[in-house]
Amino acid sequence: MKHLRAINKKARAIGEAVAQVEAASAGTPTDMDEDVVALQQQPRPHVPMGCTLSFSPGWEVDAGGGTAGLCQPVERDIYDCYVTCFWPVQVPDHVNYSPDWASNCATATKDWRSLDLVFP
Amino acid sequence: MTVMQAPAYRRAEYHGFEAGGGHFIYLVSAGAIFEIDADVRTVLTRLDGQELTHAALVRELASDGRDTAEAEALVRELRVARLIQLGAAAPVMPQAPPADFPLQALVLNVTNQCNLACTYCYEFGADKIATPAGKPKYMTLDTARASVDLLIAEAVGRKAVHITFFGGETLMNFKLLRDVVDYANAATAAAGKAITYSLTTNATLLTPEIVTFLSDNRIGVTVSMDGPPEMQDKHRVYKNGKGSYAVIEPRLRTLIAHHKTRAITARVTLTEGVTDVVRIFRHLKDDLGFHEVGFAPVTTGEERAYSLDDNGMDSVLAQFSLLADEWLEYALRGESHGFTNVSETISELISGVNKSHPCGAGLGLMGVSPSGDLSPCHRFTDADTHTMGHVSSGIDRAKQGEFLKKGHVEAKYDCQSCWARPLCAGGCHHEAFVRYGDTGHANLHYCDWIRQWTDTCLRIYGVLAVQNPGFLERFAERKGLS
Ligand code: SF4
Ligand code: SF4
């Protein structure tokens, strides 16, 4: 620790923990995961494949640096995004704005071609 | 739609203080003490009354002329040490202590008889909670042996156990005491455990033989007394009203001169009219030669004639501070002073205790009444409302669990925002019961007092940490041995 001087046993124990964290992650605490972190940061944040982190709208590249692992609204099964995804922006919003968007798609596996973009 | 906000830093709960030219913080969540530099103070000031996101905080620090990497490192250090936190800390809910928490010490109430009739006595005075009518007045050897056996059986995993002899006037049952020590020495040796002893007495019955026995067996002695003659004789009187000072003085001198194996401590009860702390200390320490002198305000329910009012408490605290300054002067010279109230707090600060319960009562410590009933501590002995099993049948785990759940600091609403709670944890269960009728009630009548006192001791700690840290180390070692 550079700015804190431990002066009792409990503080020294905390100091050791700080030193360990610093040594293990070259200065990046392991519990910084609530922080905004950049993908290029080392060590890399954990990125789930297949969908975005629930708190990270605006994801542009995936863990591999490409777009294949991106969240559903962009590249994957857009029907599922519409039905289950919490994120209300890039997909048609069936609650407030486009309740009928999927009305001519009775069976998604068969009718998915009849889904179209939403024009505001 | 879900609204997302970037989490922001806020200050963790701490108590800041200055001492010896340095700045310090006492971190409440841990009981840790840190000396902090100007950079840390800057961060804490920036977060005073507001929250800042990581980016905003780093930006502000950098705007002071720091380079960004340094500012990042500073924020990380504070974050990992938990001086600052992102968002609100998760609330900690009361946890029941493990049901099989091992016993460490028993207080044997070898008799509930006393040859004095101190007017403020919690055992027999107006605030008593004990109901000794119809119960044995003296503990028998069988009960004492069963107590020792219980202690050994319940001290699972402990290397050493402790027995405190208590009363009434303990020495009214000295014969038992001698036999118990023999029995307990043998029994603990057979169980592969060490044992230590202590005893509390009013000193009226001390004889040279008893003193020799106490010294030979390394039995620590605490003498309850109130000070020089006029103070001692104010409340500590025989049943006929006669004061006890003249009787105990020569006995104390013998005790202090001949008991060489343990520190001899005086414990003073402060009451209305007996608040001259400095004078009492001088008399007990310098004139009589006690090694340690500790003070405690009397426990009272309502407005008893002897209870301390606010003025009394203010005067007590002011004098405590005078003695505390003296304690510090001694410590800076590397000498021990003997004002127990400071020594106790300092030793807790050294290790950084963070208590779930105010004391060991009902946890590692229990009281045993003359009849063998178990209670949370010596002050609850023979109070039917607080029995917690019997030495022959063992600890009543259900009652113990209930007592401990109530007494857990997290269950005391008023203490949740108090920075002194790692040390106080709501205060004495017995006092809470006498004052509020509930062992789980926070002792709100002395909060200001506790916080002021804790702050005083923290400052002493800070000065020593800057000017004579070696003393703190030696102190910690010595405490560990006592
Ligand atoms: S009893 Fe008072 S001083 Fe003690 S922890 Fe609770 S609020 Fe703080
Ligand atoms: S309950 Fe009170 S008297 Fe009993 S051990 Fe705890 S602090 Fe002491």
Side-chain angles (χ1 to χ4, degrees), chain B residues 98-101 154 363 366 388 395-402:
Chain B
D100 55 353
F101 192 88
E154 292 289 348
L363 200 54
M366 285 197 189
M388 216 175 246
I395 300 167
D396 181 334
R397 296 292 179 189
K399 285 199 176 153
Q400 180 194 26
E402 203 182 308

Side-chain angles (χ1 to χ4, degrees), chain B residues 440-474:
Chain B
H441 201 293
N443 277 291
L444 299 175
H445 56 290
Y446 57 49
C447 299
D448 288 346
W449 202 85
I450 292 278
R451 283 190 284 258
Q452 245 176 297
W453 180 243
T454 309
D455 179 68
T456 302
C457 291
L458 278 169
R459 284 169 204 276
I460 291 180
Y461 194 96
V463 175
L464 282 173
V466 173
Q467 296 176 16
N468 190 4
F471 182 83
L472 289 172
E473 277 164 37
R474 286 202 308 282

Side-chain angles (χ1 to χ4, degrees), chain A:
Chain A
M1 293 188 299
K2 194 162 158 247
H3 300 275
L4 299 168
R5 183 166 80 93
I7 61 165
N8 71 352
K9 281 187 199 158
K10 198 58 81 58
R12 277 191 284 278
I14 292 176
E16 277 158 27
V18 172
Q20 268 173 20
V21 169
E22 278 171 352
S25 58
T28 308
T30 48
D31 73 338
M32 301 265 292
D33 47 30
E34 308 112 303
D35 259 351
V36 177
V37 289
L39 273 178
Q40 65 270 32
Q41 186 174 308
Q42 295 298 334
R44 287 183 161 226
H46 169 71
V47 181
M49 296 297 281
C51 187
T52 68
L53 296 162
S54 339
F55 297 104
S56 309
W59 210 252
E60 284 165 7
V61 284
D62 65 17
T67 53
L70 282 178
C71 77
Q72 292 156 339
V74 181
E75 290 227 69
R76 295 282 179 88
D77 181 359
I78 202 166
Y79 185 78
D80 193 44
C81 304
Y82 159 78
V83 177
T84 62
C85 183
F86 82 97
W87 183 242
V89 179
Q90 293 106 329
V91 287
D93 171 1
H94 64 111
V95 179
N96 296 312
Y97 300 111
S98 312
D100 304 321
W101 176 68
S103 56
N104 47 10
C105 173
T107 313
T109 43
K110 289 191 190 144
D111 303 333
W112 60 273
R113 282 170 203 276
S114 60
L115 293 171
D116 201 355
L117 301 177
V118 175
F119 297 98

Side-chain angles (χ1 to χ4, degrees), chain B residues 338-468:
Chain B
F339 181 32
T340 308
N341 298 61
V342 179
S343 316
E344 289 297 328
T345 310
I346 295 289
S347 64
E348 293 191 318
L349 292 176
I350 288 177
S351 57
V353 297
N354 189 3
K355 298 177 185 172
S356 64
H357 292 81
C359 60
L363 200 54
L365 167 94
M366 285 197 189
V368 186
S369 77
S371 59
D373 281 337
L374 292 167
S375 59
C377 80
H378 53 292
R379 289 203 177 198
F380 290 101
T381 28
D382 271 340
D384 289 336
T385 38
H386 293 93
T387 41
M388 216 175 246
H390 189 272
V391 287
S392 59
S393 58
I395 300 167
D396 181 334
R397 296 292 179 189
K399 285 199 176 153
Q400 180 194 26
E402 203 182 308
F403 174 83
L404 291 175
K405 201 169 151 201
K406 271 182 165 204
H408 196 298
V409 63
E410 300 286 1
K412 299 172 188 170
Y413 177 77
D414 301 285
C415 302
Q416 297 319 300
S417 55
C418 171
W419 65 263
R421 71 180 183 279
L423 293 172
C424 171
C428 171
H429 304 288
H430 172 264
E431 176 132 5
F433 186 75
V434 171
R435 273 268 171 168
Y436 307 99
D438 176 5
T439 55
H441 201 293
N443 277 291
L444 299 175
H445 56 290
Y446 57 49
C447 299
D448 288 346
W449 202 85
I450 292 278
R451 283 190 284 258
Q452 245 176 297
W453 180 243
T454 309
D455 179 68
T456 302
C457 291
L458 278 169
R459 284 169 204 276
I460 291 180
Y461 194 96
V463 175
L464 282 173
V466 173
Q467 296 176 16
N468 190 4

